[in-house]
Amino acid sequence: MLNEWGFSREGLRNNQHGEYWVFLQGLLLIGFVLLPVYRFVGFGIKSPELLYFSWGVVGALAVFSSILIFKGLLDLGRNLTPLPYPREDGQLVQSGVYSIVRHPLYSGGVLAALSWSIFQLSLSHLIVTVVLFAFFNAKASQEEVWLSEKYPDYLEYRERVKKLIPWVY
């Protein structure tokens, strides 16, 4: 399966298809999961109304991130690869969730991290969420260079659909 996704020994040596991006992404996600929760001293939600509101925001973010991730995986189908380099036998997907955001898997990951940060009121997780956003933005930029080279329609698609935050950015 790794060969089918585009991984190779040579690529692992020279980052030919963005293998280092995948490695760094794995480290960041593992770090996020293992990161201890740090809060501002004395900071907490004391009002039940505000607590329920924050839970509503967390729930909405969690549901939206899940939809982006699962629908993104489903819509990609056989085009799926963890590498930012497009599959040799791949096609440009512009329908489904890809019609509202170009990188729904990255968006979903960032929104899930934000949801967890708010739920835990964790400053440490919020900081790593910002780092994840910056990382996925940079990874997506590299991916888009390769997608533009492979698919002539990509430039028009890029103008029409936002990169990471649906309808915003």
Side-chain angles (χ1 to χ4, degrees):
M1 179 177 275
L2 292 176
N3 287 337
E4 193 174 307
W5 278 343
F7 285 98
S8 67
R9 288 181 197 262
E10 184 177 327
L12 292 173
R13 281 192 295 269
N14 65 17
N15 196 33
Q16 184 177 9
H17 294 142
E19 288 83 354
Y20 298 169
W21 286 102
V22 175
F23 179 71
L24 185 54
Q25 178 178 328
L27 289 178
L28 283 170
L29 294 176
I30 290 168
F32 184 87
V33 169
L34 298 178
L35 185 67
V37 172
Y38 291 108
R39 297 183 179 109
F40 287 115
V41 176
F43 182 76
I45 298 178
K46 303 200 179 12
S47 160
E49 293 83 11
L50 192 53
L51 180 65
Y52 297 144
F53 176 76
S54 73
W55 287 353
V57 169
V58 165
L61 285 171
V63 167
F64 190 52
S65 69
S66 297
I67 290 169
L68 287 172
I69 292 169
F70 292 121
K71 186 72 169 114
L73 290 170
L74 186 64
D75 290 347
L76 265 184
R78 290 203 31 82
N79 296 297
L80 177 66
T81 176
L83 296 169
Y85 193 82
R87 289 176 60 130
E88 294 300 324
D89 62 344
Q91 298 175 2
L92 180 61
V93 177
Q94 300 182 51
S95 58
V97 74
Y98 289 88
S99 67
I100 61 167
V101 65
R102 295 193 309 264
H103 302 279
L105 302 178
Y106 302 161
S107 303
V110 170
L111 290 176
L114 180 61
S115 176
W116 181 253
S117 301
I118 295 170
F119 179 71
Q120 291 292 328
L121 298 177
S122 174
L123 179 61
S124 54
H125 285 87
L126 184 60
I127 290 168
V128 175
T129 298
V130 171
V131 170
L132 280 171
F133 181 83
F135 170 80
F136 281 129
N137 189 48
K139 183 181 178 192
S141 293
Q142 175 58 64
E143 187 173 338
E144 291 188 341
V145 168
W146 287 324
L147 288 167
S148 297
E149 290 170 359
K150 180 167 177 149
Y151 303 110
D153 297 352
Y154 196 80
L155 294 176
E156 185 273 324
Y157 171 63
R158 193 171 153 177
E159 293 293 320
R160 188 171 29 90
V161 178
K162 299 296 182 185
K163 185 178 189 179
L164 287 174
I165 303 172
W167 310 290
V168 178
Y169 172 76

